Amino acid sequence: MLKSFRREPGFYHRLFLLALPMVLQNLITTSLSFADTFMVGLLGNAEMAAVTAANVPIFIMQIVVFGFQSGLAILVSQYWGRGDVDNINRCLGVALYAVTGFTSLVALTMFLFPAQVLGLITPNQDLIDLGLSYIQIVGFSYIFTGISSLYAGVHRSTEYPFFGTVLFTISMCTNTFLNYVLIFGKFGAPAMGVTGAAAATLASRVVEFVVALLYALINRRLPLQAGLVLRPGRRTLRSFMRYSLPVVCNETLWSMGLSMLTVIMGHMANSQDMLAAYALIGNIDKLSTVVCFGLAAAAAVIVGKEIGEGGTADHVYSVSRTLLACSVLVGCIVTAVLLVLRPTFFQPVLFPLFDLSEGAAYAAGCMSLLYALAMPLRAFDVTNITGVLRAGGDSRVAAFIDVCPVWVAAIPLMALAALVLDAPVFVVCLTMQAEQAVKCPIGYLRFRSRRWINDITRTEI
């Protein structure tokens, strides 16, 4: 194991310079979500549970956008290794067309049929009524953030993640301020409650889009070529379909699977307690994994560029093994931190701050413990699937490894425990982690095979 950490001089400096801005970017976007949860949570458990239910389709849309961003990164990182800026613009064009069309369709569906969408998630009419205005407004924000996220992702995949950090910092500050103003009615604004949270999110995403657009018009490091973006060509479309579309399908099916876990909670007898607990612990989980996802994003850039530059399979495998070892180490450190915080901060301070009911507090305690214990496995999976395998052009197998454990293990086990056997809350929460127990060994075997190392830029365009 220790042998895996031995690298040439400058490797860890490069990794740090790539990962740190990505960690900060993930921390900023996650803090934005946590600020939403915190402020809405101050309104009450019912409001927090309603927003959690309303965010299920939003989460799916968000992950699909991330899928397009990750799929785009596969091609962009390898083209960056070849210094091919023209094809980077073409790939961006294909992704922009796809994301804009998808987010517009979903946003329009949620605006026209909000009650029907929420009814698929929970039969609780009180929660549906509270979430109607939220889901109608917030969906449109992802049209704007989808475009800006793709553009920031291109810079991240070309070793300039700092732009995304600045962009999402501006978005987070705007959203947090507007949340305070519109939710609680400050500075003369009306107190809009849950609706105010949605309006603040939409406004901040528009600001984010405008900033990204202005930067794109003046940037010279990676100049935007409108002709190539607007007319990317069939060859680029074919490459995107072959290597990036499996990533999009992967993220879509995975997010739908994860959302099914929320739907199962929404149909439990104690659904309000479970959803309130999941809203809080889900955000804590996102905060605790920012380093893991930052490392995975850095790994995707490093591995993709190594392949694009013509590195040997042995060298690419060795670099990837080091990155995976780092991810497991980070996961163990995060586990230790969470296990310390659980009895010293979460239970005595944080849970009472959100005024969780007794049932919600118990469920949150169970979730926090199990999420902490599973962190090393999750850290490995994230870097292996979204960083190493995808960057090597092995997106189809990576999709299989990522999606199947959710649908084959986690969902059936949780549905059986929660809806059929009426098992204790701890057992229900334990079944949510079945995904990691299945995914990790399969992913490790695929990594060891080395069959994931492919130079896709030299075979396609």
Side-chain angles (χ1 to χ4, degrees):
M1 181 69 177
L2 292 177
K3 185 179 178 181
S4 299
F5 290 100
R6 296 173 185 169
R7 299 303 320 171
E8 63 275 7
F11 176 84
Y12 287 105
H13 179 69
R14 178 190 178 196
L15 177 61
F16 178 79
L17 291 180
L18 275 174
L20 181 60
M22 297 178 188
V23 170
L24 292 175
Q25 181 178 325
N26 289 336
L27 181 62
I28 289 164
T29 53
T30 304
S31 298
L32 175 61
S33 177
F34 189 81
D36 275 349
T37 301
F38 176 73
M39 293 186 189
V40 172
L42 294 177
L43 298 174
N45 278 1
E47 285 81 359
M48 188 160 67
V51 170
T52 301
N55 271 325
V56 169
I58 301 299
F59 170 74
I60 294 175
M61 183 159 53
Q62 182 181 18
I63 294 298
V64 172
V65 170
F66 173 75
F68 278 107
Q69 187 179 3
S70 300
L72 179 63
I74 294 173
L75 293 165
V76 170
S77 61
Q78 291 202 19
Y79 280 127
W80 181 245
R82 294 180 61 186
D84 191 342
V85 176
D86 287 354
N87 273 317
I88 290 175
N89 273 271
R90 290 190 178 98
C91 292
L92 175 61
V94 173
L96 284 174
Y97 277 119
V99 165
T100 303
F102 170 75
T103 53
S104 298
L105 178 63
V106 175
L108 190 60
T109 300
M110 291 191 294
F111 179 78
L112 295 176
F113 309 104
Q116 290 84 345
V117 172
L118 287 170
L120 296 173
I121 302 163
T122 177
N124 190 320
Q125 190 60 45
D126 292 336
L127 298 184
I128 292 175
D129 292 339
L130 283 170
L132 283 177
S133 60
Y134 182 89
I135 199 173
Q136 283 185 302
I137 296 171
V138 79
F140 289 104
S141 69
Y142 278 89
I143 299 174
F144 298 99
T145 198
I147 297 171
S148 58
S149 294
L150 285 179
Y151 184 67
V154 168
H155 282 282
R156 184 178 71 184
S157 299
T158 55
E159 300 182 287
Y160 188 64
F162 179 72
F163 169 69
T165 304
V166 174
L167 179 66
F168 295 119
T169 298
I170 294 172
S171 178
M172 182 200 71
C173 293
T174 304
N175 198 352
T176 302
F177 173 73
L178 291 178
N179 269 338
Y180 176 71
V181 172
L182 298 178
I183 292 176
F184 304 111
K186 304 298 182 180
F187 303 108
M192 300 170 64
V194 170
T195 304
T201 299
L202 176 58
S204 66
R205 298 308 191 185
V206 172
V207 171
E208 175 187 308
F209 167 77
V210 171
V211 172
L213 178 61
L214 293 176
Y215 183 78
L217 295 176
I218 64 173
N219 176 52
R220 291 294 175 264
R221 175 183 173 274
L222 191 67
L224 193 66
Q225 302 176 45
L228 297 180
V229 172
L230 295 176
R231 301 183 64 183
R234 294 182 179 178
R235 296 177 67 186
T236 304
L237 177 61
R238 285 197 297 268
S239 289
F240 196 93
M241 294 283 287
R242 179 174 180 180
Y243 295 107
S244 299
L245 190 60
V247 178
V248 178
C249 295
N250 174 177
E251 296 297 346
T252 302
L253 292 173
W254 179 82
S255 64
M256 290 175 65
L258 207 62
S259 298
M260 282 300 297
L261 303 183
T262 309
V263 172
I264 292 171
M265 284 185 275
H267 285 76
M268 293 174 65
N270 58 339
S271 61
Q272 185 166 309
D273 286 342
M274 291 294 292
L275 290 172
Y278 189 60
L280 177 57
I281 299 304
N283 279 284
I284 292 175
D285 176 60
K286 290 174 185 175
L287 284 171
S288 61
T289 55
V290 292
V291 178
C292 302
F293 279 97
L295 183 59
V301 176
I302 292 173
V303 173
K305 189 177 181 184
E306 291 285 350
I307 296 174
E309 288 177 336
T312 65
D314 286 343
H315 178 69
V316 172
Y317 178 83
S318 176
V319 168
S320 301
R321 184 178 60 185
T322 299
L323 293 168
L324 289 173
C326 290
S327 69
V328 173
L329 177 61
V330 167
C332 292
I333 294 172
V334 173
T335 292
V337 172
L338 290 175
L339 290 177
V340 171
L341 289 177
R342 183 173 177 268
T344 60
F345 178 69
F346 293 164
Q347 291 176 320
V349 178
L350 191 62
F351 295 174
L353 181 64
F354 280 84
D355 196 25
L356 295 180
S357 65
E358 183 178 349
Y362 176 73
C366 295
M367 290 180 191
S368 62
L369 174 63
L370 294 169
Y371 272 118
L373 294 176
M375 193 60 65
L377 296 180
R378 294 182 63 201
F380 174 86
D381 290 335
V382 168
T383 300
N384 188 39
I385 293 171
T386 68
V388 174
L389 299 185
R390 287 181 183 175
D394 198 32
S395 53
R396 295 179 185 177
V397 176
F400 174 83
I401 297 171
D402 200 26
V403 171
C404 285
V406 181
W407 288 93
V408 175
I411 292 175
L413 287 175
M414 186 176 177
L416 177 65
L419 305 181
V420 179
L421 302 178
D422 194 22
V425 170
F426 181 83
V427 175
V428 174
C429 295
L430 181 62
T431 60
M432 296 172 65
Q433 304 302 326
E435 171 192 0
Q436 310 304 328
V438 176
K439 184 184 298 185
C440 191
I442 299 175
Y444 179 72
L445 290 175
R446 182 62 180 180
F447 171 73
R448 286 291 302 271
S449 73
R450 306 193 185 199
R451 296 173 63 186
W452 51 270
I453 304 173
N454 306 283
D455 187 341
I456 60 179
T457 65
R458 299 183 188 277
T459 58
E460 283 298 303
I461 295 180

